[in-house]
Amino acid sequence: MGSSCRIGWNDFEDTFRLPSQSQLRGAYRIVLGYQSFSTVLKAKKRRLGRAQKTIGDYCLLAGSPVDANAHYSTAIELARLTGDYFWYAGALEGSVCALLMDRMGQKDPVLEEEVKYRYNTVILHYRKSCMQDNAQRVSTLTFELEATLKLARFLCRQDLAKEVVELLMTAADGANSLIDASDRLILYVEIARLFGTLGYQRKAAFFSRQVAQLYLQQDDCLAAISAMQVLAMTTRAYHVESRATSSKSKSNEIRLNHIDSGKKELQSVVFLFESQWSTLQMVVLKEILLSSIRAGDPLAAWSAAARLLRSYYPLITPAGQSGLASALANSAERLPSGTRCADPALPFIRLHSFPLHPSQMDIVKRNPGREEWWVGAAPSGPFIYTPFSKGEPNDSSKQEVIWIIGEPVQVLVELANPCGFDLMVNSIYLSVHSGNFDAFPISVSLPPNSAKVITLSGIPISVGPVTIPGCIIHCFGVITEHLFRDVDNLLLGAAQGLVLSDPFRCCGSPTLRNVSVPNISVVPPLPLLVSHVVGGDGAAILYEGEIRDVWIRLANAGSVPVEQAHISLSGKNQDSVISVAYETMKSALPIKPGEEVTLPVTIKAWQLGLVDPDNAAGKHTYGSRVSRDGSSPMLVVHYAGPLALPGKASTNGSAVPPGRRLVVPLQICVLQGLSSVKARLLSMEIPAHVGETLPKPVYVENGSTEELASPGSTTDSLVKIDPYRGSWGLRLLELELSNPTDVVFEISVSVQVESPRKENNLTFIDHDVAEFGYPKTRIDRDYSSRVLIPLEHFKLPVLDGSFFSKDFQVDEAFNTRSSSFSEKNTKAELNASIKNLISKIKVRWQSGRNSSGELNIKEAIQAALQTSVMDILLPDPLTFGFMLVRNGSVAAAQIGSPKESTLQPNLPGSKGSILAHDMTPMEILVRNNTREMIRMSLSITCRDVAGENCIEGDKATVLWAGVLSGISVEVPPLEEIKHWFSLYFLVPGEYTLLAAAVIDDPNEILKARAKTNSPDEPVFCRGPPFDLLVVGTT
Amino acid sequence: MARIRECNTAGQRKGMASTACFIIVSRNDIPIYEAEVGSALKKEEAAHQHQFILHAALDIVQDLAWTTSAMFLKTVDKFNDLVVSVYVTAVKKIYGHIHCCFIVFILLFSLTNHIIHTRLMLLHDSRNEDGIKSFFQEVHELYIKILLNPLYLPGSRITSSHFDTKVRALARKYL
């Protein structure tokens, strides 16, 4: 029985199969069972027919289809007459064989029709015989099925598919009647084979699976191996192919490329995931796993479990997932270590990012034609983005990355373990097929349902392109390659809702933009400068305005010398870098590998902006060390090695090795330093003494000599007021400074003064600068202090219209009066002069041993000076001075001179010894500070201590000689006149001399200077008071 | 009245255990909806087997659909005593908008996919052809309503619970 159904033999063999011994014996027994004559006759005929059929079989065996056909024809006739359907069908089948053998190689439709017709009869008669010979112990079903399959095999062509399918379906139906499981198995094998030939892959897979199930019912290792192999053939139809056997991955690739390049048409995306029969796929994989475990094939088991776990983890319970994990581990135990499998298991890996070179080792394309070779090179650094890129968008998305031989590189990948067990990745490293890259493996452990971004690194070892399709992973005891592309496809499907689950999202990892592997190329070694700030790379903590030198050490850590280098500044607060030693860099070139250069850089801490919210907070918590990353300036060093490598001088000239860029951020953390609370202007008025000897004037007439050059005057920085000159008109700038920090500050003020100008034809030539130092002021922490800055030495020697400039002209043109003059004075002019004044005052501070800086007080001073700058800068139109005339020598006390200096050395003081009851000859000096002749009526008053006029009135204590009031004098421009007079004091004591003048016909300048309110108001000039001490007895 | 009678007959049929597995296969051969609608005791093994049979029947449907203009293809495939009946819809594809033609007679060809049909497949053991045909027609109507949803991407899985409820109700009514 079993032998009667050997499917898989070829037609020829099947056709020549003779009925087996048992069948024949059974048939004869039936024949002998009949008793009557007719039955005997019938039996005789039947026997003859059967004999004829047998002879036909032998003829066929002997290779004579014609003879066989003759015998078969006889047998058919006899069997038909006797109703021996079984043998009728057999003989008919034999005749078809003979016919086909006769016309071997021919295929014409008539023959085909004939064969089809005859075989249908055969099948019909086998079925009939089955019903007829119900009592028969031999089932004719097998014959019927066999005949059906034979016909199906004969017809098996695409255009006859419908008929073949019907035949095969009939055959499949018959399988239920087969008692022996192995018969059914063979039947299914044949059906599957025929469906496969027909191109019905799914049908074939279905019956193959039935075969596998029948195999699996046998408790046998060999059967399990067969089951495994049969199932392996179904994987293609069910889209669960192992990558080792699939050629489909290539077509997948093509498809994906198509999608990448073209528009992502939804339908084609859907098409990517046509294998969505997840239930079936899981069942098939489970069966493959089961059969391969039973068959003792650990690699197949591992592969099936890996595919099952990777593709269907969302449909598997955590317990099932753990079971699969242990199946993987168990399988791996039986495998030799280092086994590779084509099917990846877990984890899922996607490219997270492709770090560009850090700014320290950025690569810049070199333009060999220009000296500034980095200019115009494609920006490769971060933050350089332009919405108007030159290339097509497709090209720009594919970035270029350059790696350098011998310099380690990093790639960030994200791993996800969406399953409910701990995943231990023994090693993971980048898979590089180009062979010019050494990847460093690392090991990772992933907790259940977690994702992790890890850094994979390696070193490029030779020049050429590098492709990174994925990672090699040693996990669950087997080495697999995980391709980024697969996960990208998966994520694409997940985004469309076509795939079960996104493994990264279910692990809580944020959705990432699809990162594509850039085009990587490896270039020969380049120099590599490494920067290092001497004294620590941390941020320098500076108070506002602090000036400090920073030394930056640049070392060449590469293997190629640096031959070109250029330093530039970038970033915010560039002006806080006062100086960079460009020359040091230039002179140090070339920097050989291993060599170092130290560059001094002077930086001055910038002011913290008032609008800066950080600073506002810092005001309350002073000393808060806020360092904004973006606010520090950066040194940018462009450097490059030799234009051609020594070994490869013959390489094509176009490929110049690229240069590099080193960005050294000058890390500065600016702390709030001293803050100026306010500045205001004070005036101090001490009257001068009149004496016979006078302090040496700051400059004598016409300012031709300079007394300040004596060393004694500069060393002593105290403000001294000469009693013979007083301090009339001395202004002091008071700065109120508070120290919110936790250190002590010492303030020193220095004033730069342009030396008195030598007036040569009214042009100022010599601008010697002298500095006046003042004693230091110490401000303790949390205290405020006031610093006084004498505003002297600023007065201009001449009062002329240049100060008022254009407005003056305008005023005249419109015939407006001087009252509006000052109002109309443009702010710009004023501000310019204030700025000029301010720039001469420097307030430096020092704190501790090594921090010092300059205080920014410009705004404060400006505010303070805004209103009274004219008083400070402009001289009075007239200056008055008194002196005693004695022994014919003239000693002049010239006080109130605009350029007087109180910084006088201790002159041999001579007290003005004026005796009462003695005629005291005196003279008054009147100096015209303008450039025009001034006519005036001068008057001199003398007051006593009580302030009473002591020249006129009831209690006059002074007799006088000479005119003391209403003296009409004319003073030529920039010159002085003297007027002699004598005083006779009656009462000793202290007196005060005052000179005053009413200027006749004042011009606009004088009016402006005097700030007259109405045009008719007389311009009145008054000198400072002079003290007179009269001794003697009453 | 007729409605009541139908319900009665359905109720009577409920007594005998019937097997019915309904599945909608998109034109990309992806099942987009699956439901075991039979009243027989559900075993997981059997459910898998049903899907295997339906999956295998796709080969035959694929060829058969082009030989006939009928939408309802009865008994296209069988395995053991389970029969596969299929209802093939005609879907017209317009770029930028997916439009569904309800009418049988318009068979439109798409340039990109040679299979343009969505197939409603039912695996059953009952011979109640009329009931099956009505079932298919009503489910087709439901399916069109799903397709008209602008948020539904044609070819993706039907997750609407409303649809599921309706289909199961129809199965109870007709099968």
Side-chain angles (χ1 to χ4, degrees), chain A residues 125-140:
Chain A
H125 281 86
Y126 274 134
R127 195 172 296 156
K128 247 188 209 171
S129 69
C130 175
M131 286 177 234
Q132 181 196 26
D133 303 328
N134 228 0
Q136 220 174 334
R137 272 192 286 170
V138 180
S139 166
T140 57

Side-chain angles (χ1 to χ4, degrees), chain A residues 158 169 173 176 200-203 206 209-210 238 266-267 270 273-274 276-277 279-280 283-284, chain B residues 23 27-31 48-49 51-53 55-56 58-60 62-63 77-80 153:
Chain A
Q158 188 66 50
M169 269 157 66
D173 268 349
N176 286 334
Y200 284 9
Q201 294 303 331
R202 285 171 281 203
K203 271 283 185 194
F206 177 81
R209 186 175 158 267
Q210 298 294 323
Y238 291 118
L266 284 181
Q267 296 309 314
V270 171
F273 303 98
E274 60 185 346
Q276 270 269 306
W277 293 81
T279 324
L280 308 190
V283 169
V284 171
Chain B
I23 200 162
R27 61 179 162 282
N28 300 313
D29 283 358
I30 303 174
H48 293 164
Q49 183 70 5
Q51 289 214 9
F52 272 107
I53 295 166
H55 178 255
L58 280 174
D59 272 333
I60 294 166
Q62 186 178 320
D63 278 2
D77 195 9
K78 60 181 190 294
F79 185 74
N80 297 343
L153 171 68

